[in-house]
Amino acid sequence: SLPHNISLCMQLSELCQVQGHFVQGINLVRKALKLEPDNIGLWVKFALISLHRFEGKARHAAQKAVALAEALQPNEALPDEAISLQQAQASNALAMVESQEQNFELAERMFHKILIERKNFIPALQGLAQQQMQRGHIDEAIELFERVKQLDPVKGYAGLINARRFPEDE
């Protein structure tokens, strides 16, 4: 069995997800959550890895992350900025769930709310761009992926390629 190492569980879970082994990935995150049941990042990860196969689990995990994040109180070990980031990650996970369940208007409002507070928050830019693409709003999606490209070229180009618009330069 795995050592009680949260970051190792997370890396293995990422690998499982990339390889399409979602159940194993979910089980690794569950194992980590048994060790750290109040870890917002783990709940966010659980929501995102469950998104395309287990929407009920994804919603539960995202709601749990949001509740934990909203309850955070700043202290010396946890400054306001760290709380704000965790709240954005949790809200973004829930917005992804709403988008996956085709509650597009609600998801869009949630993504925009995150982006008002953190205009360069890549997960929200990507989530909103993917949703816009899914809804056929290709120009908006491309504009968002261009913003992502400025912050993270690999993610930006991947999004642009998925939007079936290849960037001019190599």
Side-chain angles (χ1 to χ4, degrees):
S1 84
L2 280 175
H4 296 308
N5 182 326
I6 301 289
S7 76
L8 181 61
C9 280
M10 290 303 84
Q11 289 170 349
L12 287 170
S13 141
E14 290 280 334
L15 187 60
C16 287
Q17 191 174 1
V18 167
Q19 293 177 336
H21 303 301
F22 295 99
V23 175
Q24 293 96 315
I26 286 169
N27 288 338
L28 284 162
V29 178
R30 269 207 184 111
K31 178 178 264 189
L33 277 166
K34 283 193 178 107
L35 301 172
E36 289 189 21
D38 293 336
N39 184 319
I40 294 164
L42 290 177
W43 284 108
V44 167
K45 179 78 186 132
F46 192 9
L48 297 177
I49 201 171
S50 304
L51 197 58
H52 299 292
R53 297 282 176 90
F54 309 99
E55 286 174 18
K57 282 182 171 59
R59 176 172 291 281
H60 167 78
Q63 288 171 334
K64 178 78 176 171
V66 167
L68 287 167
E70 285 175 356
L72 290 174
Q73 295 297 319
N75 59 46
E76 283 185 21
L78 192 66
D80 286 330
E81 172 57 24
I83 290 175
S84 166
L85 179 60
Q86 290 194 49
Q87 289 172 339
Q89 290 166 337
S91 296
N92 191 72
L94 190 54
M96 295 292 287
V97 170
E98 297 298 355
S99 185
Q100 176 68 18
E101 293 181 1
Q102 300 193 350
N103 301 324
F104 295 129
E105 285 77 13
L106 175 57
E108 192 167 335
R109 283 195 305 274
M110 294 171 78
F111 286 129
H112 281 298
K113 185 172 187 278
I114 295 164
L115 291 168
I116 285 167
E117 292 173 25
R118 307 182 80 87
K119 71 180 173 84
N120 292 332
F121 190 64
I122 291 174
L125 289 168
Q126 286 179 295
L128 183 56
Q130 286 162 358
Q131 175 175 298
Q132 298 301 49
M133 213 167 65
Q134 191 180 347
R135 299 185 76 186
H137 304 160
I138 305 298
D139 290 343
E140 270 180 75
I142 288 170
E143 203 175 295
L144 289 159
F145 284 130
E146 286 289 349
R147 280 177 63 191
V148 172
K149 188 178 86 175
Q150 299 306 311
L151 304 164
D152 185 328
V154 173
K155 288 178 181 168
Y157 279 118
L160 288 166
I161 289 166
N162 284 338
R164 293 180 185 76
R165 298 282 175 93
F166 296 90
E168 259 101 83
D169 63 49
E170 303 271 321

